[in-house]
Amino acid sequence: MSDIPLLPNHQSGPKKLTPEQENQQLKKIIRELGLKVTQQRMDILRIVKAGDRHFTAQDIFEAVSETNTSIGFATVYRFLKALSAKAFVTEVRMGGMPARYEWSSQEHHDHLTCTVCGKVVEFENDEIEKLQEEVAKSLGFVLTDHILELFGVCSSSHCQKVYKSAPES
Amino acid sequence: MSDIPLLPNHQSGPKKLTPEQENQQLKKIIRELGLKVTQQRMDILRIVKAGDRHFTAQDIFEAVSETNTSIGFATVYRFLKALSAKAFVTEVRMGGMPARYEWSSQEHHDHLTCTVCGKVVEFENDEIEKLQEEVAKSLGFVLTDHILELFGVCSSSHCQKVYKSAPES
DNA sequence: ATGAACTTGAGAATCATTATCAAAATAATT
DNA sequence: AATTATTTTGATAATGATTCTCAAGTTCAT
Ligand SMILES: [Mn+2]
Ligand SMILES: [Mn+2]
Ligand SMILES: [Zn+2]
Ligand SMILES: [Zn+2]
């Protein structure tokens, strides 16, 4: 878990926007949440939308802090919670580690994480999704959500070496 | 999440054991962990093996406390960690809630949880398992573990009613 | 029985996240 | 632009689960 590679966000989508256009976009989102437009929310949202694909509250806090030295952690958490409540961002909580967030504009997908280097690969598998529905239905449930996280060792020689020399499982 | 139904543990398996035979069994397990046999460990293990299928550290603490009024939380956590390190129990940590444990003698399985009443249903789907392997392999990973948790609403009329009358998602 | 090594329980420490609340900012109205 | 009702913010305390610390107690091979 030394370094965690960060995937760029929003590979596709609308291209060049003037700063003013971008601001209008951000304000629109904040108003859709029924919240007032504040500098903090603009800062957070700008980073969430333009930054790395996967991030933690800590990541956002640090990024915003470079500009706004007085941003509070509570503000970051509060706004991320508001964004995920309206599904603008997806929050994933696993184990004892900090929650991971990502902008939800993308297609649904699950994650495969390298337990050695922390690399995260996204994938999407319709068959698995369909089977999940079937499982739930066969048990009389209406499926509303799911968490699928795969863990393994990536193909990098370093990780493979560590894996093969591991004491045991 | 009012009441959480508790499934009985070890539906099948070896039947009647004299108390002495059971103790020998428990001691054997503790020694396999390379640990000394103590009253606390015996108490915890007895409950883990005979109690409900899914339990939390709190559950164990309370159950043991009925007999041993001085058991410490740290002891419960320590021993559960030792048990899961050697895979005698499986520990699942999700979200902010307390970790859920279960004795691992059973077949691998995943869980479907009712978000209204907390009911937990176990299931096992070879197709999904196989597809997970394929996904990992296709991305160059060696799959070592996975977490699949489905969430939905169970068929009880109460939960269905709550679900249908829910504000929105 | 003896003692080295291990274990225990109480309470402090962590860590991520939430709750409080007085001070500051926003936005709708004069 | 000034007023003000309503929100929002940030510092800090609180939470809750889990882990750590360590003095006192226990286990077990000899
Ligand atoms: Mn993702
Ligand atoms: Mn189970
Ligand atoms: Zn790796
Ligand atoms: Zn239910």
Side-chain angles (χ1 to χ4, degrees):
Chain A
M1 288 288 187
S2 43
D3 60 315
I4 297 185
L6 298 170
L7 308 178
N9 203 355
H10 311 311
Q11 61 292 55
S12 63
K15 302 305 182 304
K16 320 244 178 61
L17 297 193
T18 67
E20 188 42 41
Q21 287 178 308
E22 188 198 12
N23 282 345
Q24 290 314 313
Q25 229 182 30
L26 303 185
K27 287 181 182 173
K28 182 156 174 280
I29 292 173
I30 295 173
R31 295 201 175 103
E32 282 183 51
L33 297 173
L35 300 175
K36 290 185 173 177
V37 175
T38 65
Q39 189 58 52
Q40 290 86 330
R41 286 171 177 160
M42 291 292 280
D43 290 347
I44 293 171
L45 197 46
R46 203 187 329 275
I47 299 219
V48 164
K49 291 203 63 181
D52 300 316
R53 189 191 292 256
H54 301 112
F55 51 86
T56 62
Q58 175 78 44
D59 293 334
I60 299 299
F61 175 78
E62 287 174 7
V64 173
S65 291
E66 289 184 15
T67 301
N68 180 338
T69 54
S70 68
I71 183 85
F73 241 106
T75 303
V76 173
Y77 272 112
R78 263 188 306 242
F79 191 44
L80 284 178
K81 201 205 289 190
L83 285 168
S84 63
K86 287 284 166 51
F88 280 100
V89 304
T90 302
E91 177 194 277
V92 179
R93 289 189 181 185
M94 294 214 18
M97 34 209 57
R100 172 159 42 71
Y101 301 83
E102 67 186 298
W103 187 247
S104 327
S105 68
Q106 314 147 51
E107 294 281 306
H108 164 74
H109 60 263
D110 298 298
H111 299 116
L112 169 55
T113 305
C114 176
T115 56
V116 179
C117 69
K119 177 179 179 182
V120 176
V121 175
E122 301 180 333
F123 70 89
E124 194 259 324
N125 187 293
D126 291 330
E127 281 195 82
I128 292 179
E129 303 284 328
K130 187 184 305 176
L131 286 166
Q132 289 177 8
E133 283 286 354
E134 290 177 15
V135 166
K137 187 176 299 180
S138 76
L139 293 169
F141 278 60
V142 175
L143 189 65
T144 56
D145 197 11
H146 74 263
I147 292 178
L148 174 58
E149 299 277 334
L150 304 186
F151 298 94
V153 182
C154 80
S155 56
S156 83
S157 57
H158 169 258
C159 296
Q160 286 296 319
K161 184 182 304 180
V162 170
Y163 175 55
K164 286 168 190 159
S165 68
E168 40 88 47
S169 179
Chain B
M1 288 289 186
S2 42
D3 60 315
I4 298 185
L6 297 170
L7 307 178
N9 204 355
H10 312 309
Q11 61 292 57
S12 62
K15 303 304 181 306
K16 319 241 178 63
L17 297 194
T18 69
E20 187 44 40
Q21 287 178 308
E22 188 199 12
N23 283 346
Q24 290 314 314
Q25 229 181 30
L26 304 185
K27 287 181 184 174
K28 181 156 176 279
I29 292 172
I30 295 173
R31 295 201 176 104
E32 282 182 52
L33 297 172
L35 299 174
K36 290 185 175 176
V37 174
T38 65
Q39 191 57 53
Q40 290 87 327
R41 286 170 177 160
M42 291 292 280
D43 290 346
I44 293 171
L45 197 47
R46 202 185 331 273
I47 297 211
V48 164
K49 291 204 65 184
D52 301 316
R53 189 191 293 257
H54 301 112
F55 51 87
T56 63
Q58 175 78 43
D59 293 334
I60 299 299
F61 175 79
E62 287 174 5
V64 174
S65 292
E66 289 184 15
T67 300
N68 179 339
T69 54
S70 68
I71 183 84
F73 242 106
T75 304
V76 173
Y77 273 113
R78 264 187 307 240
F79 191 44
L80 284 178
K81 201 204 291 191
L83 285 168
S84 63
K86 287 283 166 52
F88 280 100
V89 303
T90 302
E91 177 195 276
V92 179
R93 290 191 181 182
M94 293 215 17
M97 33 209 58
R100 173 158 44 69
Y101 301 83
E102 67 186 301
W103 187 248
S104 333
S105 68
Q106 314 147 51
E107 295 281 306
H108 164 74
H109 61 264
D110 298 299
H111 299 115
L112 169 55
T113 305
C114 176
T115 56
V116 179
C117 69
K119 177 180 179 182
V120 176
V121 175
E122 303 181 332
F123 70 89
E124 194 258 325
N125 187 295
D126 291 331
E127 282 195 80
I128 292 179
E129 303 284 328
K130 187 185 304 175
L131 286 166
Q132 290 177 7
E133 283 286 355
E134 290 176 14
V135 165
K137 186 176 300 181
S138 75
L139 293 169
F141 279 60
V142 174
L143 189 65
T144 56
D145 196 12
H146 75 263
I147 293 178
L148 174 58
E149 298 277 335
L150 304 186
F151 299 94
V153 181
C154 79
S155 56
S156 83
S157 57
H158 169 257
C159 296
Q160 287 294 320
K161 184 182 303 180
V162 171
Y163 175 55
K164 285 168 189 157
S165 68
E168 38 90 48
S169 178

